[in-house]
Amino acid sequence: MDKKKWRCFSPRDIFKDLRKTLSFITRAAVAAVGCAAFIYGTFYLAKEGSPVFYYVIAFASPGTVAEMWQNEELIEPDEILSTEEESVKKDTEEAPPNEHEDGKTAPEAEKELYEVPEERRGTVKEVFYNPGEGGAYIAYENAMIKNCTKYGKDKILSVLKTKTDISLSTDSPETPQVLIYHTHATEGYEPADRGYFDTAGTWRSTDLSENMASVGDVICAVLKENGIGVIHDTTLHDDPGYKGSYQRSAVTVKKHLKENTGIKICLDIHRDAIEPSETEIIKPTAVIDGKKAAQIMIISGCDDGSMNMPDFFENLRFAAALANEMQTLYPGLCRPVLFDYRKYNMDLSTGLLLIEIGSTGNTLEEAQYSAELLANAIVSLFAGE
């Protein structure tokens, strides 16, 4: 008889197998927790619009990013508008309907200043943003910069010691030097300064006399009056769909830059959306010469290594110079420049900036007044060139 074959298991054998089993279970549990953390973290980063999300996807499947881009399924970080404070932006893949519950379109309803039922009224809170230096805020002459990048205060101030090399001529109104356009042209404002808003409203309109195009018209008029050639492209890049609007506006910018080699400045004019809750919105407001003006925020992008913007500090120099000019001429008009990891098509030109004029709580008249002041600052900044 083969003793080895028929040997009984000893307690040592049992504990040995038990150790193996427990070791296997432990490794499996650790692996499961790790996978769950990876999946949760990836979706969290995607929700937050972090560029790290795209690095994770690219590492796991290099072809996925390109495929998603071609199908316009990629939620770009620069599709998410950023403000100084935490805000809730209620954007959807399709442009929201431009109607009120009474069946009238937004322009019609606004012109008649329709009465909003009490149950649909939310609060419009007027706020003057003027943070002091410290933390993320860096003082630059009369302006302020909110630094959300890895670069320290000393580095940024060192960069800004070199002035922007952008120059404009004020004696050639027929030669385009400035491009005004709107990635989100259908953005709109409150119909009146009445302290409340319609919670069923959308602040969007395809009517060029009611949306961002009308704000851009004011900038263009002032620049032309002062001998600066300008092109105003009023294409509705966010109509009929909001998603993909930055890709579409990039095509517009490239077209104008190719056809007009004298363009040195490209301004993407938006309005912000500062909405702490569904029943409260903020209107950033400054009083300039006794008149309410919608506060302005300039956004200057920083490359995180994936945006193809090697000269982003040039955009920052221009942003800081323009913010300082506005603050010098009209103290309180300009909120801190947002310097953050954003693209917003700034890879196309070192003279390209995204400018937020007011927010959903401001009125169109307040935004147009601010647009006039912004244009005056541009003229003043380059008047001596």
Side-chain angles (χ1 to χ4, degrees):
M1 180 181 293
D2 188 344
K3 293 182 179 180
K4 184 178 181 180
K5 181 176 180 181
W6 293 98
R7 181 174 62 84
C8 294
F9 284 102
S10 67
R12 179 181 297 177
D13 294 325
I14 294 174
F15 284 113
K16 182 179 180 181
D17 291 340
L18 181 60
R19 285 197 302 270
K20 289 182 179 179
T21 301
L22 291 175
S23 177
F24 173 79
I25 292 174
T26 301
R27 288 196 299 268
V30 171
V33 172
C35 289
F38 176 84
I39 293 171
Y40 175 82
T42 300
F43 279 99
Y44 177 80
L45 291 170
K47 179 182 178 182
E48 294 298 312
S50 171
V52 177
F53 166 68
Y54 305 106
Y55 301 153
V56 173
I57 294 298
F59 176 79
S61 177
T64 302
V65 173
E67 182 179 351
M68 292 171 70
W69 179 272
Q70 290 173 358
N71 294 330
E72 286 195 345
E73 296 173 358
L74 190 62
I75 303 175
E76 301 177 66
D78 62 7
E79 286 277 6
I80 303 170
L81 290 184
S82 177
T83 62
E84 264 170 70
E85 38 291 313
E86 292 297 322
S87 64
V88 178
K89 188 162 183 60
K90 300 180 285 186
D91 290 322
T92 57
E93 291 189 357
E94 295 299 321
N98 186 33
E99 292 187 358
H100 294 271
E101 290 187 6
D102 57 9
K104 297 179 181 180
T105 62
E108 292 173 345
E110 290 174 2
K111 289 173 183 176
E112 295 179 10
L113 197 59
Y114 64 97
E115 185 67 21
V116 180
E118 289 285 345
E119 63 272 15
R120 280 185 10 211
R121 292 185 182 185
T123 301
V124 177
K125 184 178 180 181
E126 189 170 301
V127 176
F128 173 64
Y129 289 109
N130 185 34
E133 184 174 17
Y137 295 96
I138 301 172
Y140 171 70
E141 297 186 14
N142 293 321
M144 196 73 72
I145 297 171
K146 184 178 182 182
N147 178 30
C148 299
T149 74
K150 66 179 181 180
Y151 296 98
K153 174 182 176 180
D154 291 342
K155 172 62 177 178
I156 291 176
L157 292 179
S158 175
V159 166
L160 296 181
K161 286 181 181 179
T162 302
K163 304 301 182 181
T164 179
D165 61 0
I166 295 175
S167 62
L168 298 178
S169 170
T170 56
D171 58 3
S172 55
E174 302 304 318
T175 303
Q177 301 177 81
V178 178
L179 170 64
I180 305 294
Y181 71 102
H182 315 277
T183 296
H184 300 149
T186 68
E187 291 173 335
Y189 299 88
E190 273 296 291
D193 183 15
R194 51 190 178 181
Y196 63 85
F197 71 98
D198 186 353
T199 56
T202 65
W203 303 286
R204 291 188 181 275
S205 173
T206 56
D207 187 330
L208 299 184
S209 68
E210 302 286 342
N211 59 28
M212 298 313 300
S214 67
V215 179
D217 282 341
V218 175
I219 300 174
C220 291
V222 173
L223 295 182
K224 289 180 178 178
E225 288 173 3
N226 287 274
I228 298 175
V230 59
I231 292 176
H232 185 198
D233 191 303
T234 59
T235 300
L236 303 180
H237 297 104
D238 56 340
D239 180 64
Y242 183 83
K243 187 177 68 173
S245 52
Y246 277 96
Q247 290 98 310
R248 291 188 285 274
S249 66
V251 173
T252 295
V253 174
K254 290 176 182 177
K255 170 181 175 291
H256 288 297
L257 290 177
K258 182 178 180 180
E259 295 176 354
N260 303 275
T261 57
I263 291 179
K264 300 174 182 178
I265 292 175
C266 303
L267 301 180
D268 189 1
I269 306 298
H270 293 245
R271 68 110 174 93
D272 207 347
I274 312 174
E275 305 165 19
S277 71
E278 293 183 355
T279 58
E280 182 183 45
I281 60 176
I282 303 297
K283 59 175 296 182
T285 308
V287 177
I288 310 295
D289 294 332
K291 186 176 178 180
K292 285 186 179 182
Q295 282 188 294
I296 295 173
M297 179 175 70
I298 302 173
I299 299 179
S300 185
C302 179
D303 195 339
D304 63 358
S306 68
M307 302 179 186
N308 191 31
M309 297 194 305
D311 301 318
F312 61 87
F313 276 131
E314 294 298 327
N315 300 73
L316 179 61
R317 289 187 178 105
F318 174 33
L322 182 54
N324 179 61
E325 196 69 21
M326 279 193 281
Q327 285 293 90
T328 301
L329 296 175
Y330 313 108
L333 176 62
C334 191
R335 293 158 59 189
V337 173
L338 179 62
F339 182 48
D340 198 0
Y341 294 108
R342 307 289 175 179
K343 189 174 182 180
Y344 297 132
N345 293 326
M346 292 180 200
D347 57 319
L348 302 180
S349 170
T350 55
L352 195 153
L353 297 174
L354 187 149
I355 299 182
E356 306 267 21
I357 299 183
S359 186
T360 50
N362 292 100
T363 66
L364 179 61
E365 290 72 22
E366 291 167 350
Q368 289 174 329
Y369 179 43
S370 296
E372 177 186 349
L373 303 181
L374 167 63
N376 288 341
I378 294 174
V379 173
S380 175
L381 182 61
F382 299 108
E385 299 292 340

